[in-house]
Amino acid sequence: MIYLQLFFTFLKVGAFAFGGGYAMLSLIGDSVLKYGWMTEQELLNFVGVETVIPGPIAVNMATYVGYEQGGFLGALLATIGVVLPSFIIILIVAAFIKNLLKYSPVKTFIMSMRPALGGLISAVAVTMALTVFFGIDTIKNINFEFDWRTLVILAVVIAVPLIWKHLNKKEFSSILLVVISGVLGMVLFGF
């Protein structure tokens, strides 16, 4: 039954993916690709669009996939599945937080999670970069179709904040950066 599959898949994502949305993305991607709920290209497109959609990526992804696969009830169950573990953990941690941080094993556990989260986020970034810049979808599909337009957008997204900060001694607005990259995408890739 698709409803149980959606609920338990996203419950697993919510329970075992630590570190926020982009750290969760590798587990979410594995799950939606495994069940054929999205193609790799649809997943990349969703991540691109998701950067301008308010809300956590895991919740947005669960809601979208749930709706596509099971309508309103599918969206509801997938969303509940992905947020339920965090909700329960936060309730427990909130009750004991002051006492927990006194223990060295808890501090060690929290510190040991940082490299793993960095690795998960880096893996997603490298995978997306290989697909976007070189057209490599999987190890079996290596066709090296370099896209100069994505490199132009990347260069602008990196250069504009650096130049702005150098000239104005202030941070550049992330919102404006998303707007600039969206406009550049429409101009370079066509409307």
Side-chain angles (χ1 to χ4, degrees), residues 6 43 56 74 182 185 189:
L6 285 165
L43 180 63
F189 288 97

Side-chain angles (χ1 to χ4, degrees), residues 116-182:
L117 298 177
L120 286 170
I121 292 169
S122 298
V124 169
V126 167
T127 302
M128 287 181 68
L130 288 173
T131 302
V132 169
F133 292 117
F134 301 108
I136 299 173
D137 293 335
T138 62
I139 295 296
K140 295 177 184 174
N141 184 20
I142 299 177
N143 55 7
F144 289 110
E145 295 175 8
F146 184 75
D147 189 356
W148 63 271
R149 297 170 294 193
T150 56
L151 187 60
V152 169
I153 294 171
L154 177 65
V156 170
V157 166
I158 291 172
V160 167
L162 291 175
I163 293 168
W164 180 265
K165 188 168 185 174
H166 178 72
L167 295 175
N168 296 315
K169 308 294 186 237
K170 295 179 184 175
E171 295 292 326
F172 192 77
S173 168
S174 299
I175 295 169
L176 286 176
L177 205 54
V178 169
V179 171
I180 288 170
S181 64

Side-chain angles (χ1 to χ4, degrees), residues 38-96:
M38 293 179 108
T39 65
E40 199 164 326
Q41 189 60 47
E42 288 171 332
L43 180 63
L44 287 170
N45 290 342
F46 184 87
V47 172
V49 170
E50 202 284 327
T51 59
V52 295
I53 298 172
I57 188 170
V59 174
N60 291 344
M61 179 73 81
T63 305
Y64 175 76
V65 171
Y67 185 79
E68 286 293 312
Q69 299 303 312
F72 177 78
L73 184 58
L76 181 66
L77 290 172
T79 304
I80 289 171
V82 81
V83 299
L84 188 61
S86 297
F87 180 74
I88 292 170
I89 290 168
I90 288 172
L91 284 178
I92 293 168
V93 168
F96 302 107

